């Protein structure tokens, strides 16, 4: 049995360019699909957030239209209800990477607000990448990679192949022209090799121990890659 750390956003909003606070949090499927896969395989799960705050689910991610219909929405909601650790997170600041066999960063727009500028998360990511342990990041989760800066000022993920929520997808959800910055663009500016796939289709990129997914549809195949790496 392995011990897997979920690092979730503690934000319940995303501040847009005009100062508006867009309600958000973590995206349900990006937590539920890995939860189902990892628990079915018998692994132990721990949740960490900045400050140990109980994470907020993006209400839009619970809607039937976000989950392929009512049945999918019910499944995702049930998985989150069963994931008891979501209600008792530890402080991200207190995480000891040595205690875990793998690390997962789900998305939602929340990470654009907090994890993108969180130094504790950045240090954890630098160490996780260097450790060789499976490090999985999905959708807007790669916003956290922007804080993974080495002492010399370079990004630890520069040159690494990564999938992340694309500027095209952000445009299609109607938020690109309202955002302060766009994830794909900012990652490229940091030197990350973003491998964009078709919008909304599963796209998982594996680069060594780094496993990344582009969008919610990539969550289940991303979890499968983590399990493969742990076996």
């Amino acid at each position: 049995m392995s011990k897997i750390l979920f690092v979730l956003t503690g934000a319940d909003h995303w501040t847009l360019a005009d100062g508006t606070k867009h309600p958000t949090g973590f995206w349900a499927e990006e937590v539920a699909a890995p939860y189902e896969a990892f628990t079915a395989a018998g692994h132990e799960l721990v949740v960490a957030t900045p400050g140990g705050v109980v994470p907020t689910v993006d209400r839009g991610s619970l809607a039937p239209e976000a989950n392929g219909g009512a049945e999918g929405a019910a499944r995702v909601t049930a998985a989150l209800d069963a994931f008891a650790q979501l209600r008792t997170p530890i402080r991200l600041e207190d995480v000891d990477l040595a205690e875990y066999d793998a690390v997962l960063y789900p998305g939602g727009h929340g990470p654009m607000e907090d994890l993108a500028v969180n130094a504790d998360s950045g240090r954890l990511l630098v160490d996780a990448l260097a450790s060789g342990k499976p490090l999985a990041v999905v959708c807007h989760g790669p916003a956290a990679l922007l804080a993974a800066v080495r002492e010399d000022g370079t990004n630890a993920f520069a040159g690494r192949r990564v999938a992340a929520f694309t500027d095209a997808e952000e445009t299609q959800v109607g938020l690109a022209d309202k955002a302060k910055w766009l994830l794909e663009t900012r990652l490229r500016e940091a030197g990350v090799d973003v491998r964009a796939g078709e919008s909304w289709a599963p796209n998982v990129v594996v680069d060594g121990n780094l496993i990344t997914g582009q969008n919610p549809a990539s969550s289940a195949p991303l979890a499968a890659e983590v399990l493969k790496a742990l076996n």
Side-chain angles (χ1 to χ4, degrees), residues 2-149:
S2 295
K3 192 173 182 181
I4 303 174
L5 178 70
F6 281 60
V7 179
L8 268 64
T9 176
D12 62 3
H13 68 275
W14 177 31
T15 305
L16 302 178
D18 66 356
T20 301
K21 292 185 176 182
H22 176 72
T24 186
F26 69 85
W27 197 259
E29 183 178 359
E30 297 164 27
V31 171
Y35 165 79
E36 291 173 328
F38 298 159
T39 53
H43 298 308
E44 179 184 354
L45 309 181
V46 175
V47 173
T49 62
V53 302
V54 176
T56 298
V57 62
D58 187 312
R59 303 307 299 180
S61 70
L62 298 174
E65 53 267 32
N67 293 285
E71 185 176 334
R75 181 186 62 78
V76 164
T77 299
L80 296 185
D81 287 344
F83 194 173
Q85 295 90 332
L86 287 174
R87 295 179 285 282
T88 56
I90 65 171
R91 286 165 32 95
L92 176 59
E93 300 85 340
D94 298 335
V95 166
D96 179 0
L97 180 62
E99 296 179 7
Y100 302 95
D101 301 293
V103 178
L104 168 67
Y105 276 70
H109 282 104
M112 301 279 282
E113 183 74 19
D114 61 353
L115 297 181
V117 294
N118 186 293
D120 294 300
S121 173
R123 284 189 289 272
L124 175 62
L125 285 164
V126 172
D127 293 344
L129 185 65
S131 74
K133 298 176 180 181
L135 171 60
V137 195
V138 64
C139 201
H140 286 91
L145 307 187
L146 297 170
V149 180

